[in-house]
Amino acid sequence: MSNPIVSVAIPGDIVHVDRDKYGNILVIDDRKHRILSFDSVFEQSKIVRAAPNLPVHEYNRAMLLPVAFREPQHVTVLGLGGGVLAHGLHKLLPKSEIQVFELREKVAEIARKWFGLPNSNRLQVTIQDARLAVDNLPEASTDMILTDLYSADKMSPAQAQRQFIKACSRALTSTGWLALNYHKMPEANGNLVRELRRQFPLLLVFRSKTNNWVIYGSKQGFSNVKIDSSRCAELEKRLPIGWAKLRKKLEVMELREARRPSLPCSDPVSGPA
């Protein structure tokens, strides 16, 4: 298949172009970063070339925050992109198994060749539609699900569907966490938030500098969720992404408990958004 001629709105030089039935796949380099884009306008993934395991976008970093609450044995990532989340998790959790589902085989190839995604027995990438993958996950089979499903210019509708949330909840262990990246905050009384309330005793939210909203669902209630400064300091040594600063931006979105005790940490999570 011949590669198309493309113009670039993202500053930098195109170093690789590919194409599949879903459209273009571009790799763009600026002075120190490498960027994956599907349309040359929006950045799907961004890394520092000298440290490819470090996520650049704040919302990507924020999606890792559940690790501050609990060390997972198994993590499921829906949507590979340039492998930013998967690579970060691989570095951050040296004893954990990481399962990634990606729709586009060429995207997976580019993540390995151009973004340094590790070849590791602990990191498995499966080419499959994430919606089908979640439906087929065994019950209580994973400790954490991170979902970041986007096409060239929009979020996958799957992330806003009640059935998708139910399937994620079913696949999580009793202490599991779900993190979803949304391009805008869902309606407070819409079907999506109502389903999240039904499935998760505690919901947290993080608003990024780019107005992405990361919503977290915990299978445990507020009183069982603990975070402290020493944990953030430990994680910062493993993966320096500013854990303490990210933690301070967490807010409680919804919880089903009648009373909300304070979190035992020096910088408590903020109240309901």
Side-chain angles (χ1 to χ4, degrees), residues 95-109:
K95 297 181 180 180
S96 301
E97 300 292 326
I98 302 155
Q99 170 73 72
V100 185
F101 293 97
E102 167 57 44
L103 179 64
R104 304 171 69 174
E105 186 171 4
K106 283 188 177 293
V107 168
E109 293 171 358

Side-chain angles (χ1 to χ4, degrees), residues 55-94:
V56 173
H57 291 137
E58 187 187 33
Y59 70 84
N60 278 146
R61 296 183 175 204
M63 290 187 74
L64 298 174
L65 274 171
V67 178
F69 294 97
R70 185 171 184 84
E71 189 100 352
Q73 293 183 341
H74 186 280
V75 183
T76 301
V77 180
L78 305 179
L80 177 65
V84 171
L85 289 174
H87 199 166
L89 288 165
H90 185 267
K91 173 69 174 177
L92 182 64
L93 303 169

Side-chain angles (χ1 to χ4, degrees), residues 34-270:
R34 176 156 291 166
I35 300 157
L36 180 74
S37 178
F38 296 152
D39 64 356
S40 78
V41 176
F42 296 100
E43 296 179 352
Q44 298 291 330
S45 298
K46 190 173 188 176
I47 61 168
V48 177
R49 293 203 303 276
N53 59 293
L54 289 179
V56 173
H57 291 137
E58 187 187 33
Y59 70 84
N60 278 146
R61 296 183 175 204
M63 290 187 74
L64 298 174
L65 274 171
V67 178
F69 294 97
R70 185 171 184 84
E71 189 100 352
Q73 293 183 341
H74 186 280
V75 183
T76 301
V77 180
L78 305 179
L80 177 65
V84 171
L85 289 174
H87 199 166
L89 288 165
H90 185 267
K91 173 69 174 177
L92 182 64
L93 303 169
K95 297 181 180 180
S96 301
E97 300 292 326
I98 302 155
Q99 170 73 72
V100 185
F101 293 97
E102 167 57 44
L103 179 64
R104 304 171 69 174
E105 186 171 4
K106 283 188 177 293
V107 168
E109 293 171 358
I110 287 171
R112 295 201 185 279
K113 182 175 180 179
W114 291 91
F115 289 83
L117 185 68
N119 284 305
S120 168
N121 292 334
R122 295 192 298 108
L123 175 56
Q124 181 180 355
V125 178
T126 301
I127 305 303
Q128 187 177 6
D129 188 317
R131 294 169 296 181
L132 298 177
V134 170
D135 285 341
N136 292 325
L137 287 176
E139 185 175 352
S141 61
T142 188
D143 300 303
M144 197 170 292
I145 298 176
L146 310 182
T147 173
D148 189 21
L149 301 175
Y150 281 77
S151 60
D153 59 354
K154 62 183 179 180
M155 183 188 79
S156 168
Q159 289 194 166
Q161 294 174 356
R162 292 171 58 189
Q163 180 56 40
F164 181 82
I165 301 301
K166 288 181 181 178
C168 288
S169 177
R170 180 190 56 79
L172 285 168
T173 57
S174 61
T175 57
W177 282 84
L178 172 65
L180 309 106
N181 174 33
Y182 290 105
H183 66 288
K184 64 179 180 179
M185 185 65 180
E187 294 182 9
N189 295 313
N191 289 336
L192 173 62
V193 172
R194 286 202 297 268
E195 190 60 48
L196 284 165
R197 289 173 185 159
R198 277 191 285 266
Q199 299 296 331
F200 298 96
L202 173 64
L203 298 179
L204 303 178
V205 64
F206 181 104
R207 184 179 183 179
S208 77
K209 297 174 182 176
T210 55
N211 287 323
N212 285 68
W213 295 82
V214 181
I215 296 178
Y216 313 85
S218 170
K219 298 287 280 187
Q220 291 189 309
F222 195 94
S223 59
N224 293 316
V225 172
K226 299 180 180 179
I227 187 170
D228 56 52
S229 298
S230 62
R231 175 63 173 167
C232 289
E234 175 193 351
L235 294 174
E236 190 70 15
K237 292 178 181 178
R238 300 190 209 171
L239 192 71
I241 60 173
W243 290 88
K245 185 177 180 180
L246 292 170
R247 183 189 63 180
K248 290 178 181 179
K249 294 182 67 173
L250 274 178
E251 294 183 353
V252 177
M253 180 178 166
E254 294 285 348
L255 63 162
R256 293 205 299 258
E257 297 177 3
R259 297 179 61 190
R260 188 181 79 240
S262 59
L263 278 176
C265 64
S266 57
D267 299 302
V269 172
S270 301

